[in-house]
Amino acid sequence: MEETEVIIVGAGPAGLALALSLARFNIHSVILEKDLEITQDPRGVYLTHDAIRILWDLGLGDSLKEIGHEVLTVNFHATSFKNDPFHVMHLSRDDYWQTLPNAILHIQPKLVGRQQDGESVIVQYQDRKEASRKIKGSFLVGADGKKGVVRKHFLEASAGIKQVDSAYRYDGTWVAANLKLTVPTPESHPDFPLWDLGFTPEAVYDLFWPKGWHFCSPPGKPTAAGRFGPYEARFWRHEFAQNDWDDSMDAEKLLWEHITPMVTHSRDSLGRPFPGGEVTYPPDCIHILRCRPYQFTHKVVNKWFDDRTILIGDAAHVFPPFGGQGIASGLRDAHQLAWRIALLQRMPQSDGAFRVNLLKAWARERHEGVKDAATFTRMNGRACNQGDDFFFWLLRNLVRLFNSIPFLPNFPDPIISFETRGYQRVEDGFFLKEYGGGGRLAQVYVESKNQTPVLSDELIKRTGTMMSLLVIVKGNRGNLVAEAQEAVRAINLDKSILSEDSIRVFSPDNSLTTGGGTDAQVYCPTSSHRLTDLGIIVRPGYNGHNYFGRFGAATKFVIVRPDFYTFALANDVEGLVECLGMIRDRLG
């Protein structure tokens, strides 16, 4: 029998992210996947907010340009994306304090049985030659989609686990299509009328297939559409509501009926009419890769795990196509689960109660995360399905009013509040609520005397331990770092969890070069001017001091989890010692 530490079923985004996250902690995993190749015809194409930060943390940041492009606007139109939008969400600013892009548009074995006994799990599967094989692991993780085997075949009957309605109730049938576009040229389409008006092939493409992501609301069918993948790949996603669907309908015929008016123009981008009347994008330049109906809904499991079998991604929750939260939530599931599994694997002497409590804390946090994601999805879904109704009209005009008056604060963005709050509302999460834990760490560029600018997440990843300890040095703080080192030594945690090597010293004061009482390097925020001089892209709204903006002014110590969330904040050494003691108590 084969053996591994973690068996992952499904090589979709969540399953692959979990395998990479586990590898960071030297945890071996095996992925069971029925398809031999990764799909180039994805079901979800939108990645948003911290999902991009997670991909950077997994070492994929430099590869993102190979799978997608940054989304700078989300546009809300009446009827068609050829009409001017009545509202535009601008995503270029660093409003979420993560320094990275806020959104990108991307591309992207048969199980037979399962046994678990509290100590391990054994999976029986058929390989591609239909030979029966078994593999044993400490955990089985189902990342195999909403109709996957792990939940549908194993957990529904044995543990009563099923997907149920959540905070946002939505059910609808949509036709979803992936299109591959080619660009007409004077050579390939000499009779195309826009050549006589001075249009270039690229100008034609940009006119008929506009940049950004687009929601179109009634009158007409609610629609979500936009480019995805690398710009040069010329992929287009097109989804529209078809709630009267029945199997006698032809999805491709419905697609052509729906999209043809949208790619038929009588004016240019400045509103000037074409002399010859309406012009349609050449149909032979539109190639359908996939077109089929989907039942879109929002549901979440009533229980996230049973013993050593855990669900993530679409196996745990599903979203309608209004907020890019499906794949993003799966990446969050994986990223926040991996370090917990690693912790359990490093503590084989721990009892079953500790494992259950640790996974329950993960499930509580992820339930809150899914609820927040559903709120964002609901807002976009309302605008897409109901249009510029009174609620949305009032909301967007309040935003415009607040943002136009200098002495008023910006209108609160609910996504920013979710980002800042993190899991602080969760009861019994894996953090110390009484010490301000559960918030999300901001990310900026930092540098030291011996370190050129680097993303602050990278410094935490380099500690190599489960937890990291940030020491915030402001001005002359005497022996603050030395006292932190002594507190860590005294608590005597396993060095793979927290050690003196886990300490990172940060300061808003760029004149400091070493930490108080030691020769520890002090990392300071890098200014936008210096980043620009170094040729590093600076997002509008970037401020290096955002890093300290989510801590209280008196905070001197921050214990950080490996998933960007804080475990605890302390204002003095006594508080730090108390927090370290609580880590020890929680780990038994």
Side-chain angles (χ1 to χ4, degrees):
M1 183 187 301
E2 303 171 72
E3 291 195 18
T4 187
E5 291 181 276
V6 181
I7 305 164
I8 302 169
V9 181
L16 293 172
L18 178 61
L20 288 172
S21 298
L22 290 169
R24 172 181 165 185
F25 299 106
N26 297 315
I27 301 298
H28 186 265
S29 64
V30 169
I31 299 178
L32 301 180
E33 167 58 51
K34 64 181 180 180
D35 295 323
L36 294 178
E37 302 291 338
I38 295 176
T39 180
Q40 298 299 310
D41 177 30
R43 276 48 171 174
V45 298
Y46 193 95
L47 284 177
T48 182
H49 305 122
D50 59 315
I52 297 165
R53 187 174 176 182
I54 291 170
L55 293 179
W56 275 79
D57 188 58
L58 298 179
L60 301 175
D62 291 338
S63 302
L64 292 184
K65 63 181 179 295
E66 299 173 12
I67 65 167
H69 66 271
E70 182 178 356
V71 185
L72 298 179
T73 60
V74 175
N75 307 276
F76 294 84
H77 311 257
T79 305
S80 171
F81 54 76
K82 75 177 182 181
N83 299 327
D84 290 338
F86 59 79
H87 179 63
V88 178
M89 291 171 53
H90 294 278
L91 303 180
S92 60
R93 291 180 54 82
D94 188 31
D95 289 331
Y96 305 104
W97 295 7
Q98 67 172 14
T99 301
L100 303 172
N102 290 317
I104 64 170
L105 289 159
H106 69 96
I107 57 179
Q108 52 169 18
K110 181 180 178 182
L111 265 64
V112 178
R114 176 204 61 143
Q115 301 171 245
Q116 58 181 6
D117 58 10
E119 299 297 327
S120 62
V121 59
I122 297 174
V123 171
Q124 183 179 356
Y125 66 98
Q126 289 181 347
D127 63 20
R128 60 180 177 175
K129 296 180 180 179
E130 299 188 354
S132 181
R133 304 181 68 176
K134 289 185 178 182
I135 184 169
K136 179 179 180 180
S138 297
F139 294 93
L140 168 64
V141 179
D144 50 344
K146 65 180 180 180
K147 297 181 180 179
V149 171
V150 176
R151 177 174 57 82
K152 297 290 289 183
H153 290 196
F154 299 155
L155 296 180
E156 282 195 359
S158 65
I161 296 179
K162 56 185 179 180
Q163 290 189 345
V164 297
D165 290 330
S166 184
Y168 169 43
R169 299 193 65 174
Y170 178 85
D171 286 287
T173 302
W174 287 51
V175 173
N178 285 345
L179 309 178
K180 170 70 173 176
L181 307 172
T182 55
V183 180
T185 66
E187 293 74 28
S188 66
H189 294 76
D191 297 329
F192 190 64
L194 296 190
W195 307 139
D196 294 337
L197 300 180
F199 275 75
T200 64
E202 283 299 319
V204 169
Y205 180 67
D206 288 340
L207 175 65
F208 287 89
W209 309 98
K211 295 178 182 179
W213 189 254
H214 306 272
F215 290 112
C216 307
S217 57
K221 298 175 181 179
T223 302
R227 302 179 185 183
F228 71 94
Y231 272 126
E232 61 274 12
R234 305 193 191 281
F235 291 123
W236 182 270
R237 178 62 167 249
H238 199 85
E239 303 170 336
F240 58 92
Q242 191 71 44
N243 287 319
D244 62 347
W245 172 267
D246 66 62
D247 290 341
S248 68
M249 294 180 174
D250 184 329
E252 291 195 8
K253 180 180 178 182
L254 291 171
L255 171 66
W256 284 113
E257 290 174 354
H258 185 257
I259 202 170
T260 300
M262 295 188 175
V263 295
T264 299
H265 287 245
S266 60
R267 300 173 182 272
D268 65 16
S269 58
L270 298 177
R272 296 172 299 198
F274 296 145
E278 291 186 338
V279 177
T280 300
Y281 196 81
D284 62 331
C285 292
I286 303 173
H287 309 281
I288 300 173
L289 300 178
R290 173 176 56 86
C291 181
R292 52 162 290 189
Y294 282 92
Q295 183 69 32
F296 287 128
T297 188
H298 175 54
K299 293 184 183 293
V300 62
V301 284
N302 56 351
K303 187 180 177 185
W304 291 68
F305 70 96
D306 175 59
D307 195 7
R308 291 178 174 271
T309 303
I310 307 168
L311 299 172
I312 64 173
D314 282 1
H317 43 70
V318 288
F319 287 83
F322 306 133
Q325 295 300 314
I327 294 177
S329 293
L331 296 182
R332 295 168 192 140
D333 297 342
H335 195 240
Q336 295 166 33
L337 175 65
W339 66 266
R340 288 172 163 93
I341 289 179
L343 183 60
L344 291 169
Q345 291 299 95
R346 291 177 183 180
M347 301 176 62
Q349 76 284 359
S350 63
D351 59 19
F354 173 71
R355 181 184 74 247
V356 169
N357 289 335
L358 191 65
L359 292 178
K360 278 186 175 180
W362 167 77
R364 293 187 192 101
E365 292 176 9
R366 290 306 307 129
H367 185 82
E368 179 74 7
V370 168
K371 187 169 70 173
D372 287 345
T375 299
F376 179 61
T377 302
R378 180 195 294 119
M379 292 172 60
N380 281 354
R382 177 171 183 145
C384 181
N385 287 282
Q386 299 181 33
D388 197 19
D389 61 9
F390 178 75
F391 170 82
F392 197 76
W393 176 89
L394 179 63
L395 179 63
R396 64 186 180 84
N397 279 285
L398 282 173
V399 172
R400 184 180 295 117
L401 175 64
F402 270 69
N403 294 347
S404 65
I405 301 176
F407 59 82
L408 287 180
N410 284 344
F411 193 83
D413 182 331
I415 308 305
I416 295 176
S417 67
F418 298 157
E419 190 77 13
T420 303
R421 185 180 71 227
Y423 292 137
Q424 290 175 325
R425 291 185 178 180
V426 176
E427 297 295 334
D428 297 323
F430 193 84
F431 53 85
L432 301 181
K433 201 168 188 177
E434 63 272 34
Y435 279 90
R440 189 192 293 278
L441 202 64
Q443 176 169 231
V444 299
Y445 279 100
V446 294
E447 59 185 322
S448 71
K449 181 179 179 181
N450 299 322
Q451 172 68 63
T452 56
V454 63
L455 288 169
S456 50
D457 284 353
E458 185 66 23
L459 291 182
I460 294 172
K461 183 165 66 174
R462 290 178 186 176
T463 64
T465 53
M466 198 65 64
M467 298 283 188
S468 300
L469 174 58
L470 312 185
V471 180
I472 311 299
V473 179
K474 300 176 182 178
N476 182 13
R477 292 296 182 183
N479 297 323
L480 202 60
V481 179
E483 290 172 340
Q485 291 172 334
E486 176 56 33
V488 170
R489 283 195 297 268
I491 207 69
N492 195 31
L493 289 167
D494 187 295
K495 291 187 182 301
S496 69
I497 296 171
L498 188 72
S499 71
E500 292 179 66
D501 293 334
S502 312
I503 296 174
R504 293 290 182 266
V505 186
F506 290 85
S507 175
D509 184 355
N510 291 67
S511 66
L512 295 176
T513 58
T514 57
T518 73
D519 58 357
Q521 287 293 309
V522 176
Y523 294 91
C524 302
T526 307
S527 70
S528 56
H529 294 297
R530 174 159 165 74
L531 292 171
T532 300
D533 290 342
L534 292 171
I536 298 174
I537 295 174
V538 180
R539 309 186 66 75
Y542 170 85
N543 185 336
H545 286 82
N546 285 344
Y547 197 70
F548 308 99
R550 293 180 183 170
F551 310 144
T555 299
K556 298 181 178 66
F557 305 100
V558 184
I559 301 174
V560 180
R561 305 182 341 190
D563 55 6
F564 317 140
Y565 289 89
T566 58
F567 179 80
L569 285 66
N571 296 339
D572 49 41
V573 174
E574 290 74 17
L576 172 63
V577 171
E578 182 77 13
C579 294
L580 292 174
M582 291 184 183
I583 293 179
R584 181 186 57 197
D585 293 344
R586 289 205 175 195
L587 299 182

